[in-house]
């Protein structure tokens, strides 16, 4: 059995605060590279849009202006080692406090409403973040954060496919979802696909798939091949950057899979715009 | 890209075709979901609107707060279709130009044709770059709506494409 490690939750606050800034202002290098590569094969208008996105990223970083005005809703995937003992207050509240400070101090847009259906009153500090926690072995805390824009979140979907639907069914569902997303979700996309598990687990998988660096493929060669095939088919739709036609509808398709029931094959597609913001905090 | 100053002459409007790239200069008003709802209610109640819609341009944007002496924070377009239920009425009351992203409804297209209006689209997720085109900003109404307040912007060389021209051609339907 490991020795208990004490962590004061207040240590989290500045780390989360800074991660909020980093996500809002810094475009991932992997996205930059993927766009640079995509521009080589694009038509003139699509190329000028991709160039504009690269220029935008430069300005965002050098002048510390958010890449996009929708600075998103924060999702936190926390893995907490079972040998960790939190002190100094509530872990959840510290996380929320980090988000609050980050959005306030770096002038990010507060985009969260307290009640989804009736009042819809802005909480003014972008909290609460959505927090998913899992217990792991060891004495570390790792928090993967995402700042998800809703232009693309709104276009995501879950389908309870059947075993007989097979690979074809997955491809059809991904293509249908991308077609429906169209220009509104700010292509080029990064597309997270979750296959297996249960109704809610595949949705989580599809979101976690967006955290993976774009240069990494699925470790199972069959799924890696399906990622490539899906990317090809998605780009053959011709939607293109901003939906203004071209061959770069998506930069990457990333699949995560897990065991499921004999009777089912849940499948989730989490669409993310090119502003795919994530960061990792480790204590 | 063609440089244009708002408001456009009738000749300029008729000369624009969906798909063309333009750099817009002039005055535009920011308004999105909540502001549209309020404008609609004011029209229903016969109240005077907080800005003159005659020949006006609305930019669908909810910027991040301005910092360090800048007029505005990140300021890219939001999805236009959420404003579709209100747009024909605003066009009827004088609105002629809209800037946003994504497709519009048939009703909006019809109003655009009927009134020689133009729908421009700009690039989503390029709010830092687009903020450079905003030279001045003034609060106009609904300050309580924060990012969704109506403000008057003076923009220079704001990059757009003609999304729907006055003939009803749509950039998203191009072959
Ligand atoms: S979908 Fe993405 S790029 Fe588009 S407005 Fe939302 S956050 Fe920005």
């Amino acid at each position: 059995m490991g020795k208990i490690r004490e962590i004061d939750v207040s240590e989290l606050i500045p780390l989360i605060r800074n991660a909020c800034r980093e996500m809002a202002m810094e475009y991932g290098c992997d996205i930059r590279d993927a766009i640079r590569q995509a521009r080589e094969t694009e038509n003139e208008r699509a190329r000028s849009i991709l160039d504009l996105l690269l220029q935008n990223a430069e300005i965002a970083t050098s002048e510390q202006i958010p890449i996009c005005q929708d600075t998103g809703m924060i999702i936190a995937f926390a893995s907490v080692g079972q040998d960790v003992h939190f002190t100094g207050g509530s872990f959840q509240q510290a996380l929320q406090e980090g988000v609050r400070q980050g959005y306030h101090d770096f002038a990010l847009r507060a985009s969260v409403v307290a009640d989804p259906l009736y009042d819809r009153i802005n909480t003014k500090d972008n909290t609460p973040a959505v927090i998913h926690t899992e217990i792991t072995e060891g004495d570390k805390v790792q928090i993967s954060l995402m700042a998800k824009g809703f232009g693309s979140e709104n276009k995501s979907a879950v389908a309870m496919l059947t075993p007989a639907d097979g690979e074809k069914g997955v491809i059809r569902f991904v293509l249908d979802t991308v077609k429906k997303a169209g220009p509104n979700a700010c292509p080029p996309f990064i597309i997270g696909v979750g296959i297996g598990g249960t109704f809610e687990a595949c949705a989580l998988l599809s979101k976690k798939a967006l955290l993976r660096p774009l240069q990494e493929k699925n470790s199972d060669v069959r799924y890696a091949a399906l990622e490539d095939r899906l990317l090809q088919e998605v780009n053959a739709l011709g939607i293109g950057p901003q939906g203004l036609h071209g061959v770069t509808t998506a930069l990457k398709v990333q699949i995560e899979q897990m065991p499921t029931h004999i009777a089912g094959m849940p499948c989730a597609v989490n669409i993310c715009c090119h502003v795919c913001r994530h960061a990792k905090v480790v204590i | 890209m063609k440089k244009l100053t708002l408001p456009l002459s009738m000749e300029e409007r008729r000369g624009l075709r969906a798909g063309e790239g333009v750099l817009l200069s002039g005055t535009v008003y920011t308004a999105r979901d909540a502001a549209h709802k309020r404008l609609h209610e004011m029209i229903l109640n016969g109240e005077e609107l907080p800005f003159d819609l005659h020949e006006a341009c609305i930019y669908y944007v909810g910027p991040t707060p301005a910092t360090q002496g800048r007029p505005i924070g990140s300021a890219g377009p939001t999805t236009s279709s959420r404003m579709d239920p209100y747009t024909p009425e605003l066009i009827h009351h004088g609105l002629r130009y809209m800037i946003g992203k994504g497709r519009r409804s048939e009703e909006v297209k019809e109003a655009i044709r009927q009134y020689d209006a133009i729908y421009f689209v700009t690039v989503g997720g390029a709010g830092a770059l687009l903020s450079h085109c905003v030279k001045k900003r003034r609060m106009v109404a609904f300050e309580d709506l924060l990012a969704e307040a109506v403000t008057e912007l003076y923009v220079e060389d704001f990059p757009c494409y003609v999304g729907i021209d006055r003939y009803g051609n749509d950039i998203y339907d191009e072959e």
Side-chain angles (χ1 to χ4, degrees):
Chain A
M1 214 181 76
K3 210 167 149 270
I4 297 299
R5 178 182 171 211
E6 299 221 322
I7 297 177
D8 192 317
V9 293
S10 65
E11 276 183 51
L12 272 173
I13 298 172
L15 298 175
I16 302 288
R17 170 182 177 271
N18 193 50
C20 292
R21 182 202 60 77
E22 189 188 309
M23 287 191 287
M25 321 283 189
E26 323 274 339
Y27 215 45
C29 301
D30 52 345
I31 298 175
R32 226 179 280 235
D33 290 346
I35 290 183
R36 277 200 198 110
Q37 205 186 328
R39 73 179 291 291
E40 299 305 321
T41 53
E42 270 299 0
N43 66 59
E44 202 184 315
R45 183 167 65 199
R47 199 182 318 129
S48 61
I49 292 169
L50 295 176
D51 286 343
L52 200 136
L53 297 181
L54 291 171
Q55 244 180 301
N56 180 65
E58 294 287 319
I59 295 173
T61 304
S62 65
E63 299 181 28
Q64 295 290 291
I65 303 172
I67 303 161
C68 182
Q69 75 290 338
D70 181 357
T71 44
M73 185 170 191
I74 297 287
I75 302 124
F77 290 104
S79 337
V80 178
Q82 60 191 16
D83 298 331
V84 168
H85 174 223
F86 287 119
T87 60
S90 145
F91 167 73
Q92 303 251 352
Q93 276 173 25
L95 228 161
Q96 303 291 5
E97 182 57 26
V99 172
R100 185 174 295 125
Q101 290 188 11
Y103 274 69
H104 173 269
D105 296 356
F106 301 109
L108 309 181
R109 197 181 79 183
S111 313
V112 174
V113 294
D115 179 89
L117 180 56
Y118 295 111
D119 314 331
R120 294 196 64 90
I121 293 173
N122 198 307
T123 60
K124 298 208 167 102
D125 58 10
N126 220 49
T127 65
V130 175
I131 303 175
H132 304 286
T133 314
E134 62 178 19
I135 308 289
T136 52
E137 282 178 29
D139 63 358
K140 289 216 169 26
V141 178
Q142 279 198 35
I143 306 173
S144 293
L145 294 158
M146 282 188 82
K148 190 72 171 61
F150 259 56
S152 55
E153 190 73 354
N154 279 339
K155 300 295 178 184
S156 304
V158 175
M160 300 308 283
L161 300 179
T162 66
D165 288 325
E167 193 189 60
K168 265 205 193 108
V170 171
I171 294 172
R172 198 180 320 121
F173 177 55
V174 172
L175 292 179
D176 281 351
T177 308
V178 172
K179 273 189 232 163
K180 282 185 200 148
N184 290 358
C186 296
F189 303 136
I190 290 114
I191 302 171
V193 180
I195 307 174
T198 49
F199 177 73
E200 85 292 355
C202 75
L204 277 178
L205 272 184
S206 70
K207 181 146 268 122
K208 282 188 184 163
L210 295 173
L211 297 170
R212 199 202 306 156
L214 299 189
Q215 61 277 8
E216 276 175 33
K217 288 175 181 278
N218 190 298
S219 56
D220 182 322
V221 288
R222 297 164 303 171
Y223 286 90
L226 182 56
E227 288 179 344
D228 289 343
R229 173 153 180 214
L230 279 168
L231 181 65
Q232 263 179 21
E233 298 214 10
V234 162
N235 285 340
L237 293 175
I239 296 169
Q242 298 297 311
L244 301 182
H245 316 291
V247 294
T248 319
T249 304
L251 297 170
K252 181 83 193 288
V253 178
Q254 318 228 84
I255 304 175
E256 294 290 329
Q257 71 279 11
M258 72 186 292
T260 190
H261 189 276
I262 46 172
M265 189 176 66
C267 182
V269 178
N270 197 186
I271 303 273
C272 193
C273 56
H274 63 95
V275 189
C276 187
R277 293 162 289 207
H278 49 87
K280 200 174 192 175
V281 164
V282 183
I283 301 188
Chain B
M1 279 198 177
K2 199 191 264 183
K3 287 194 180 222
L4 291 173
T5 302
L6 294 169
L8 308 180
S9 69
M10 190 52 88
E11 230 175 287
E12 283 173 319
R13 277 193 246 167
R14 292 190 169 155
L16 288 175
R17 289 293 181 282
E20 235 180 294
V22 296
L23 296 169
L24 288 181
S25 297
T27 298
V28 309
Y29 294 94
T30 67
R32 47 174 290 161
D33 311 56
H36 273 74
K37 189 158 179 258
R38 287 199 191 170
L39 291 172
H40 167 68
E41 282 158 6
M42 292 175 93
I43 290 173
L44 269 189
N45 298 332
E47 291 168 46
E48 196 186 329
L49 298 182
F51 65 99
D52 189 3
L53 268 182
H54 178 72
E55 290 281 311
C57 177
I58 289 183
Y59 179 23
Y60 306 130
V61 59
T64 60
T67 51
Q68 300 158 23
R70 296 189 183 106
I72 200 165
S74 192
T78 193
T79 300
S80 309
S81 59
R82 293 195 316 272
M83 273 44 87
D84 283 355
Y86 306 109
T87 301
E89 179 180 51
L90 296 183
I91 293 179
H92 179 72
H93 281 82
L95 178 72
R96 289 296 174 268
Y97 316 97
M98 294 143 277
I99 309 173
K101 68 170 163 101
R103 288 178 179 277
R104 306 307 302 262
S105 67
E106 278 310 313
E107 290 75 15
V108 172
K109 233 180 240 185
E110 185 49 46
I112 285 174
R113 266 198 297 253
Q114 195 183 340
Y115 289 92
D116 287 293
I118 308 276
Y119 170 52
F120 296 99
V121 297
T122 188
V123 177
L129 181 135
L130 293 173
S131 78
H132 276 193
C133 305
V134 178
K135 303 300 174 189
K136 271 189 258 170
R137 186 180 191 204
R138 183 175 72 83
M139 180 58 63
V140 172
F142 316 147
E143 205 168 345
D144 60 301
L145 295 179
L146 307 175
E148 297 202 46
V150 172
T151 61
E152 182 189 271
L153 308 182
Y154 180 76
V155 301
E156 257 172 38
D157 292 339
F158 191 94
C160 300
Y161 295 94
V162 177
I164 302 173
D165 62 30
R166 55 93 42 207
Y167 307 98
N169 299 310
D170 187 333
I171 194 171
Y172 296 111
D173 292 334
E174 270 175 5
E175 284 306 308

